[in-house]
Amino acid sequence: MRVQRLVAALVTALLAGCAPAMTAAPEPPTSQSAPQRTYAVGMRQFVVDPGGPRPLPVTVWYPVEPAAPTATGSVPTATRSAAPTATPSPGAPEVRPGAAVAAGRFPVVIYSHGLRSLPELHAPLTTRWAAAGFVVAAPTFPRTNLRARDFTRADVRNQPADGWRLIRHLVRLDAHRGDPLAGHLAVNRIGAAGHSAGGFTTAGMFTAGHSARLRAGIVIAGGGLAGGLAGPVAPLLFVHGSADPIVPESVGRAGYARVLGPAAFLSLPGQGHGEYLIPGRPGFVQVLATTIDFLRWTLYDDRAALRRLPADAQLPGVTALTSRLPR
């Protein structure tokens, strides 16, 4: 797909209401530490509640073992291990649909697309998160996706509940013997992230009394919703272009100001609604590194990633970081 088409799909978004979140008892914590290498990436798709009034197609990207070494004994660049303190390579990972999940139990990130978009349009970011050691589950929302026959932006108010419905489904999958994801999901270590209307959706999942399973959020070119960004306290990262013509940066800043706990705001001076999510464009490397550092800290308890985050986030003239994160 041409860059222009991707940008056009990314830059369509607006705001909406909110939806209630469910509560659930957390599972025992995983003992797996943050991976010190990158993975190849698997992909599968399924539908949550296919016979219900609101079926939810989901695309999942997840870590798989790298391809076998070549005849020269080297591993392809996209899957080569990284040094323990290295920022993961921004190169596109190898994606293998249907491949077996790598050994281990991995934190989960629910990723929400914007208006008139699709999960696959965000693959340049989500597949790199999977390569860094996360399971990324991206729903196709029924009435705001690119192909929706009855499109309405007002349906965003129902999407936080869709996110929680997906979390409940993943909890069941992890316990379902025989499912390919069973035993591989750290369902007590879940993050939510999204772009534009998906950012508002993400904020809306953080309602008062939300399950402690949801431990962190990333709001990209979005902002808060009524009833969202509430307790229990969870770290939030905001990413926003200062010249965003669709959702002004002031909306994201207002959401950042409402967060009760640790938070950070990554601004991209002069940038719009999402061009920094495209590999090769200014800011992509910094957004990728910052979001991975944030997810490693919040979902793997990786303190080294937290210490790296300020340096990874800052590139004079391209990015600027405001932070209330612990040191």
Side-chain angles (χ1 to χ4, degrees):
M1 177 175 294
R2 294 182 304 173
V3 168
Q4 293 89 343
R5 184 177 175 188
L6 179 56
V7 173
L10 285 172
V11 298
T12 317
L14 273 174
L15 22 138
C18 64
M22 48 80 77
T23 58
E27 297 293 320
T30 176
S31 60
Q32 184 170 334
S33 59
Q36 305 302 326
R37 62 188 179 97
T38 55
Y39 292 89
V41 176
M43 188 271 288
R44 65 176 287 199
Q45 295 176 310
F46 55 77
V47 180
V48 177
D49 299 331
R54 197 173 171 87
L56 194 67
V58 178
T59 300
V60 181
W61 294 277
Y62 53 87
V64 305
E65 296 300 339
T70 64
T72 61
S74 63
V75 175
T77 301
T79 60
R80 189 173 294 141
S81 299
T85 59
T87 299
S89 167
E94 174 193 0
V95 178
R96 292 187 272 156
V101 186
R105 190 178 281 273
F106 301 97
V108 176
V109 180
I110 307 300
Y111 189 88
S112 298
H113 64 74
L115 298 184
R116 298 196 186 279
S117 189
L118 292 167
E120 53 263 37
L121 294 178
H122 299 266
L125 184 64
T126 54
T127 57
R128 286 165 171 80
W129 288 354
F134 301 91
V135 173
V136 183
T140 300
F141 294 113
R143 301 191 67 186
T144 64
N145 76 80
L146 182 62
R147 303 188 182 106
R149 294 183 179 179
D150 53 351
F151 174 87
T152 171
R153 68 187 57 170
D155 197 56
V156 175
R157 67 172 58 94
N158 298 313
Q159 292 180 178
D162 289 333
W164 282 104
R165 194 156 48 103
L166 174 54
I167 289 174
R168 291 193 295 270
H169 184 81
L170 292 171
V171 171
R172 291 193 296 269
L173 283 189
D174 185 64
H176 181 64
R177 184 175 299 179
D179 188 273
L181 291 172
H184 292 289
L185 304 178
V187 293
N188 63 311
R189 297 190 176 208
I190 296 176
H195 173 256
S196 192
F200 289 97
T201 299
T202 296
M205 293 179 68
F206 288 86
T207 54
H210 69 78
S211 169
R213 294 186 191 277
L214 185 60
R215 293 178 50 157
I218 301 176
V219 176
I220 304 172
L225 290 178
L229 301 179
V233 171
L236 272 293
L237 170 65
F238 291 77
V239 179
H240 221 115
S242 70
D244 190 329
I246 308 298
V247 180
E249 187 184 43
S250 59
V251 174
R253 293 277 184 186
Y256 170 70
R258 285 175 50 194
V259 177
L260 301 177
F265 195 100
L266 182 65
S267 177
L268 293 102
Q271 294 218 40
H273 195 55
E275 53 266 43
Y276 46 83
L277 300 180
I278 301 172
R281 300 294 288 268
F284 176 80
V285 170
Q286 288 70 42
V287 170
L288 175 65
T290 303
T291 54
I292 289 178
D293 286 343
F294 181 80
L295 292 172
R296 284 173 66 97
W297 165 53
T298 55
L299 302 185
Y300 275 112
D301 297 324
D302 182 352
R303 301 292 295 187
L306 174 61
R307 292 190 293 271
R308 286 197 305 273
L309 189 151
D312 284 345
Q314 301 265 21
L315 182 63
V318 177
T319 56
L321 181 70
T322 305
S323 177
R324 302 198 310 267
L325 300 179
R327 295 182 181 271

